[in-house]
Amino acid sequence: MAKYSNKINKIRTFALSLIFIGFIIMYFGIFFRTHPIVMTIFMVLGLLSIIASTVVYFWIGMLSTKAVQVVCPNCKKPTKLLGRVDMCMHCREPLTLDPNLEGKDFDENYNRKKQQ
C-alpha cells in the first residue's frame, strides 16, 4: 500500500524542494567561474527555480484559504480537506465529506473527476 499524505503538505514539500534544487543549480554555476556565460546560465536557472517555488507557495496559500476546514475525529485537531478524500495533516487519518465514500478504503482516485 502506498504512503499517503495530506495534499496541501505534498504541494508545500514540492515547493520547498524547488528552493533547494534552485540553490544546488546555482552552486553548480560556481564551478564554471572561468566561463561567465555558463555560470550565468546556471545562476538564472537556479533563480527561475526559486521563483517557481514562490509561485507554488502563493498558489497553495490561495488554495488553502478556500479548503474546507474540519475537525479530525481521531486526533480532534482542525485540518483542511482538498477534494472528496484527503488525509488529516496531523495523524494521517483518511477523511471524506462525501457520504457515499464513508467506510470505503482510502483511494486518491476518488478525487478524479472521471470515474471508470
Side-chain angles (χ1 to χ4, degrees):
M1 185 169 158
K3 182 179 176 185
Y4 296 109
S5 70
N6 184 273
K7 287 182 208 70
I8 293 174
N9 288 342
K10 280 183 186 177
I11 297 171
R12 286 179 180 157
T13 302
F14 171 70
L16 182 64
S17 67
L18 278 177
I19 289 175
F20 287 116
I21 289 168
F23 283 135
I24 290 169
I25 292 171
M26 289 174 142
Y27 185 73
F28 283 136
I30 292 173
F31 295 119
F32 296 100
R33 279 182 274 187
T34 57
H35 307 293
I37 302 287
V38 177
M39 183 181 81
T40 304
I41 290 171
F42 274 101
M43 294 296 173
V44 169
L45 288 175
L47 181 65
L48 288 176
S49 177
I50 292 172
I51 290 171
S53 170
T54 305
V55 170
V56 170
Y57 268 123
F58 179 77
W59 171 68
I60 194 60
M62 291 292 106
L63 196 62
S64 179
T65 60
K66 297 176 185 175
V68 178
Q69 190 169 11
V70 298
V71 175
C72 176
N74 189 29
C75 66
K76 308 292 189 243
K77 293 180 182 177
T79 188
K80 294 183 178 184
L81 258 72
L82 286 178
R84 294 174 66 196
V85 294
D86 204 355
M87 290 287 207
C88 175
M89 290 180 176
H90 309 285
C91 67
R92 296 184 52 220
E93 173 79 16
L95 301 171
T96 183
L97 293 176
D98 190 350
N100 296 331
L101 298 177
E102 287 183 20
K104 291 186 178 180
D105 288 337
F106 182 81
D107 190 3
E108 287 183 334
N109 292 329
Y110 290 137
N111 289 324
R112 301 236 186 331
K113 293 201 185 250
K114 187 184 245 185
Q115 294 288 324
Q116 279 92 3

